[in-house]
Amino acid sequence: MSQFEYLNRIPLGIFLPGNSLIHRLNPAVKIISFSIVIAAITLTTDLLGIILAALLALFTLFAAKISFLFTLRGLRAALPFILILAVIQLFIASQQSNDPVVFSLGFLIIRSNGIQSALLLLLRFISLILFLNLASATISSLELIHGLEIIAAPLKIFGIETFAFAMLVQIMLRFMPMLVITAEKIAKAQASRGAIWDQAKTGLIKKARQVLPLLIPLFSNSLHQADTLTNAMLSRAYGSNKRRTGLTKYQFQCQDVLAILVFCGSGILILFFQTIIE
């Protein structure tokens, strides 16, 4: 039955309640901090900066008291594709470089620059997945709404309804695990009726034929859930009151300022670490 456990393979979007230092931060601070680091990892071309980002991800995991094995589940599904891209990058960068040859076998030439480029790509993807898992595990859907509202508060001056945008993002993330759970139920129901899901070696066409009967009821069920959610929101008079209040009033504290400084400083180091040490 392991082939049906889709939710265990995709930890992204799963919130893990806790009382760690990261969990207690202001939601706006968490959103800004993770966004800064993710943007720095995406833009940097410095291998030392990427290594620093990976170490920062491990430190943040420890501070958030999240099991490293949980985050590895997010890497397990993407790791084969990342390794393939890293190998391709290894040979392409080696062909385009004049650095010393490390290994050669016929027309296959591996240079030091190719190894560095492949390692950079590999660590970049791993660090991005770790921080995305960290963000989803430490920011609940309700905190995400409040955090986006706090960040987008200046837009209210121009008459932009920030709460509607925050609610849209929250609903989108909320439906991700629900879609996975629904896919599990449909796949198990089809398997109980004779559908074959555990074939080790199947061609691309056979896989498409296998997935197509899953997508059609999944799409239909998603429309039904969206319609039910719409009726539930309308029955609760959603949108009738422009000023919405919350049970929790978030305020910036010393730990929030310290977190912003740490993550901003880390983002600068990730981008310019090689330049700074020189």
Side-chain angles (χ1 to χ4, degrees), residues 17-18 24 33 45 50 52 64-67 74 92 126-127 131 153 156-157 180 191 196 205 227 243 245 253 274:
R24 293 196 301 268
S33 300
T45 57
I50 290 293
L52 177 64
K65 298 179 181 180
I66 296 175
S67 172
I92 292 178
I126 291 175
S127 300
F131 272 107
K156 293 181 179 180
I157 301 175
V180 177
I196 300 175
I205 297 178
D227 185 63
R243 295 188 59 185
T245 59
Q253 301 178 357
Q274 187 68 37

Side-chain angles (χ1 to χ4, degrees), residues 231-243:
N231 292 331
M233 294 173 68
L234 291 176
S235 65
R236 289 165 176 80
Y238 175 79
S240 61
N241 188 1
K242 297 294 183 180
R243 295 188 59 185

